Every structure is written in C-alpha cells, then in structure tokens.
Amino acid sequence: PMEPTEPAERDPEEAQRAVGNAAFANGDYGAAVKAYTVCLGLKRDNCVALSNRAMAYLKLKEYHNAEADASAALAIDPRHVKSLRRRAAAR
C-alpha cells in the first residue's frame, strides 16, 4: 500500500510545506516560517506557501512581514481569499 507521505517525498517543495504545516499545527510558528521560506526557495511563486507564512507571521505578531507575504500571494492570485483575510488582519 502507498504511504500518504509518498507524493511529498517526490516533491521537495510539497514536503517542506508539509513540515511547515506540522510545525504550525504544533504551535511552533518560528519553525513554520523557516519551512515555508525553504519551500519558497524551491518554488518562488507559491501562493499557498506565501499565505501560510503570512499566517505564521501573524501568530508571531510580525505584522509587517505578514502583510508583505499576503500581498505577494495576492500578486500571484488576486482572488486568494485566505491571503485577503491575512493581509487585512496584518493591517
């Protein structure tokens, strides 16, 4: 049987996003930011990774960084509702 993590192992960007999501779920927002940053190094125009990092920055009360990431995500996908909400929260 296939392991649920198998696709992520084939895609390093997806694997890093999964690491970030797990860190975020555990309340380790600093580790989440680092994982999403690595993820963005692998795939620069990643709307979801930018939006996820924006949320982690919000949790860290780094509102300027959160707003910048949400705005960058919206430059890629202007209709990304989570990014709109996160930018509004950062402001």
Side-chain angles (χ1 to χ4, degrees):
M2 284 180 121
E3 294 293 318
T5 56
E6 194 175 318
E9 288 170 7
R10 279 186 259 134
D11 183 350
E13 176 270 327
E14 194 176 309
Q16 277 302 310
R17 197 165 25 143
V19 168
N21 292 346
F24 187 93
N26 289 328
D28 190 347
Y29 305 119
V33 165
K34 286 179 185 170
Y36 296 136
T37 301
V38 171
C39 184
L40 288 161
L42 296 167
K43 183 180 174 189
R44 199 167 144 227
D45 291 337
N46 188 330
C47 177
V48 174
L50 282 163
S51 189
N52 288 356
R53 191 171 70 174
M55 188 65 209
Y57 278 135
L58 283 173
K59 292 289 190 180
L60 292 168
K61 297 181 170 49
E62 294 184 25
Y63 301 115
H64 179 75
N65 288 333
E67 182 178 354
D69 275 1
S71 292
L74 289 165
I76 297 163
D77 180 0
R79 298 175 127 186
H80 194 255
V81 175
K82 285 183 178 180
S83 295
L84 286 166
R85 286 191 189 130
R86 290 167 183 172
R87 185 169 66 181
R91 290 179 172 173

